[in-house]
Amino acid sequence: MTPGTMFGVWPFLLALFAVQSGPAPQTITRMVVEQTVVWRVPLQPRPMMAQIEWIEGAGLKCIPVENIRRALLSGPERVDFVFARGARVRAEFDEDCPALDYYGNFYLQPRDGKLCAGRDVVHSRIGGSCTIGSFRRLVPRLKRQIP
């Protein structure tokens, strides 16, 4: 490969990495169906090489649903909710909830505008539901780079 060819490959590589970041994230939507409020939460794909690791902090009892912007699956038994200013809260389910990643979003039906641990559930689009056991605040920390 000649040096001129090498410089011609750079725009292609940059475009490839730009495509991996994905389209602009969807936002949470609120629907009212027969006097029941339902919130559809889009799932954002995990970044391929995250530079930040999220450390679990203090627990919470409830979170306000209107502040949720999107969600990330952190495993079959937990999901991370992302708020407007980048803050994150992890919801741990009482059991595995493998159906959440099938359609790319899920639904919430809080009773009072708050999503509470031990009370509310997350509904997948294929009909399953998972009870939220607890919430934990997530604190960002830069990953150490190994030279």
Side-chain angles (χ1 to χ4, degrees), residues 32 52 54 62 65 76 78 88 108:
V32 179
I52 297 174
W54 295 91
C62 299
V65 178
R78 61 185 174 260
R88 292 187 184 192
L108 305 172

Side-chain angles (χ1 to χ4, degrees), residues 52-103:
I52 297 174
E53 60 183 327
W54 295 91
I55 308 302
E56 291 185 1
L60 300 167
K61 179 67 178 161
C62 299
I63 60 173
V65 178
E66 69 269 1
N67 292 346
I68 298 172
R69 295 297 176 253
R70 60 187 181 278
L72 299 150
L73 287 179
S74 298
E77 70 283 342
R78 61 185 174 260
V79 65
D80 295 351
F81 290 107
V82 181
F83 293 91
R85 295 189 179 158
R88 292 187 184 192
V89 172
R90 177 164 290 160
E92 297 270 346
F93 300 124
D94 286 339
E95 66 281 335
D96 282 358
C97 200
L100 287 182
D101 62 349
Y102 189 72
Y103 280 109

Side-chain angles (χ1 to χ4, degrees), residues 25-136:
Q26 299 173 342
T27 58
I28 185 170
T29 54
R30 179 178 181 239
M31 300 174 284
V32 179
V33 180
E34 293 184 19
Q35 298 180 349
T36 302
V37 177
V38 179
W39 296 83
R40 184 174 78 63
V41 180
L43 286 171
Q44 175 181 338
R46 293 276 246 176
M48 298 203 51
M49 293 179 56
Q51 299 296 322
I52 297 174
E53 60 183 327
W54 295 91
I55 308 302
E56 291 185 1
L60 300 167
K61 179 67 178 161
C62 299
I63 60 173
V65 178
E66 69 269 1
N67 292 346
I68 298 172
R69 295 297 176 253
R70 60 187 181 278
L72 299 150
L73 287 179
S74 298
E77 70 283 342
R78 61 185 174 260
V79 65
D80 295 351
F81 290 107
V82 181
F83 293 91
R85 295 189 179 158
R88 292 187 184 192
V89 172
R90 177 164 290 160
E92 297 270 346
F93 300 124
D94 286 339
E95 66 281 335
D96 282 358
C97 200
L100 287 182
D101 62 349
Y102 189 72
Y103 280 109
N105 55 42
F106 56 85
Y107 297 98
L108 305 172
Q109 286 183 287
R111 298 178 196 162
D112 55 2
K114 292 188 278 186
L115 195 61
C116 295
R119 179 188 80 176
D120 293 314
V121 297
V122 171
H123 300 278
S124 71
R125 287 188 54 195
I126 61 173
S129 62
C130 305
T131 304
I132 298 170
S134 64
F135 288 114
R136 301 294 240 165

